[in-house]
Amino acid sequence: REQLLAEVHALPLPAGDPSPHGVPDAGLADVVDAQLLEDTGDRTLQLGLGRVLATQRRFPEAEEHLRAAVRLLPESSAAYQNLGLALAQQQRPDEAVPYFQKAAELEPNSPEAHTNLGNVWAARGDFRRAAECYGRALRLRPDFLDALVNLGSAQRQLGLLDSAQARYEQAA
């Protein structure tokens, strides 16, 4: 625990970026101290550290902490989503798929979870599955711009040009 806290306290958050904990322009030590006050413990610290490292584009290090968060927080959609994002950012969509699937299973009403899953299906070239995921996201949030644009792109890849054009116009 002490080593983890020392690592966390040594990392600053990027200036101007809101932290994943909703504390803009704060040092990570302040965020961790706030978490400790809430008595969230090491489990949340692993997730927080993984998020911060990912924000700093230190994906291999983030992955290590996010894997620990998934082990420690098996019911946390955020842990699975963040690990999936870290893997996807490292061009490892095949490995990211099961983490995004689990995130969507844990939080079925999250358009972000379905969109992220669609993004890795698209990265793998499975545009039919990607389009299905973007469609689920849009049923949950019809004005979700990322899902609209990505659905248009998937439909274009599937040769559904009229549908793709309609999605792009809807997004504009």
Side-chain angles (χ1 to χ4, degrees):
R1 178 178 174 94
E2 293 306 315
Q3 180 182 354
L4 176 62
L5 287 174
E7 286 180 47
V8 170
H9 282 267
L11 290 170
L13 283 172
D17 283 351
S19 82
H21 308 285
V23 182
D25 297 317
L28 186 55
D30 296 332
V31 174
V32 171
D33 289 342
Q35 284 184 328
L36 290 174
L37 287 174
E38 294 173 13
D39 195 30
T40 56
D42 291 342
R43 295 173 301 161
T44 304
L45 291 177
Q46 289 286 356
L47 178 57
L49 182 55
R51 285 175 160 174
V52 169
L53 290 164
T55 300
Q56 295 175 340
R57 305 195 63 77
R58 295 167 59 183
F59 298 115
E61 293 168 87
E63 179 184 344
E64 177 183 334
H65 292 283
L66 293 168
R67 285 189 186 280
V70 163
R71 280 192 310 277
L72 295 167
L73 300 164
E75 298 304 313
S76 170
S77 175
Y80 288 95
Q81 284 231 53
N82 281 279
L83 178 53
L85 289 168
L87 294 167
Q89 287 292 323
Q90 294 177 81
Q91 308 305 314
R92 294 161 55 195
D94 292 345
E95 293 176 63
V97 166
Y99 294 103
F100 286 129
Q101 287 174 323
K102 183 66 174 180
E105 175 188 317
L106 289 170
E107 199 173 352
N109 293 324
S110 167
E112 293 83 7
H114 295 289
T115 299
N116 285 331
L117 180 55
N119 290 344
V120 293
W121 285 127
R124 292 179 60 182
D126 192 337
F127 298 105
R128 182 190 56 77
R129 282 187 178 166
E132 290 170 2
C133 291
Y134 300 138
R136 277 193 292 277
L138 289 168
R139 283 190 291 284
L140 294 166
R141 190 184 319 158
D143 63 344
F144 190 29
L145 188 59
D146 289 346
L148 275 170
V149 171
N150 292 346
L151 177 57
S153 296
Q155 289 172 328
R156 184 175 44 80
Q157 290 292 328
L158 292 168
L160 304 170
L161 301 182
D162 290 341
S163 295
Q165 183 64 34
R167 295 299 79 71
Y168 294 143
E169 289 173 4
Q170 191 178 357

